[in-house]
Amino acid sequence: MTPQEYVEEVLSLVERIPEGHVMSYGAIADALADASGRNSARQVGTIMARHGGGVPWHRVVNSSGRMPPGHEQEARERLLSEGVPLKGEHVDMARASWRP
């Protein structure tokens, strides 16, 4: 899989995350690892930062449920409107995590 194909696969997977659910950067990397030969949460984060504006970026959080840095308020509003359960300032990962 080429680097551009990997970008497209990451964005395609993010588009499939249903409302009310989230995935972590690492879960996205894990889900694509076999097909892509890559498994880097950081790489997924970089892809989301550079190319994620056209997909539901707010549904991608870190493994502890922290929302995208610099976009916490907007992400929180969007997630709450979709019914994502929160624990304080973080997503309740036990209840909101989604796997393809």
Side-chain angles (χ1 to χ4, degrees):
M1 182 178 295
T2 69
Q4 184 57 39
E5 288 170 334
Y6 187 65
V7 168
E8 291 168 9
E9 287 298 315
V10 167
L11 298 177
S12 175
L13 179 53
V14 172
E15 286 178 329
R16 294 194 315 265
I17 301 170
E19 282 192 18
H21 296 279
V22 299
M23 285 185 81
S24 70
Y25 300 100
I28 292 170
D30 289 346
L32 298 174
D34 288 342
S36 70
R38 296 169 176 83
N39 192 355
S40 169
R42 286 183 188 265
Q43 189 172 20
V44 171
T46 298
I47 289 168
M48 290 304 298
R50 292 183 182 165
H51 307 283
V55 297
W57 56 268
H58 57 283
R59 296 182 192 151
V60 181
V61 298
N62 78 8
S63 61
S64 67
R66 184 169 171 253
M67 294 164 218
H71 303 281
E72 294 91 348
Q73 183 175 343
E74 184 178 355
R76 180 182 177 82
E77 291 169 6
R78 288 180 182 216
L79 292 171
L80 284 173
S81 75
E82 294 181 358
V84 172
L86 302 181
K87 275 184 162 179
E89 295 299 313
H90 292 78
V91 172
D92 183 344
M93 294 301 284
R95 294 173 49 210
S97 290
W98 179 78
R99 292 238 177 225

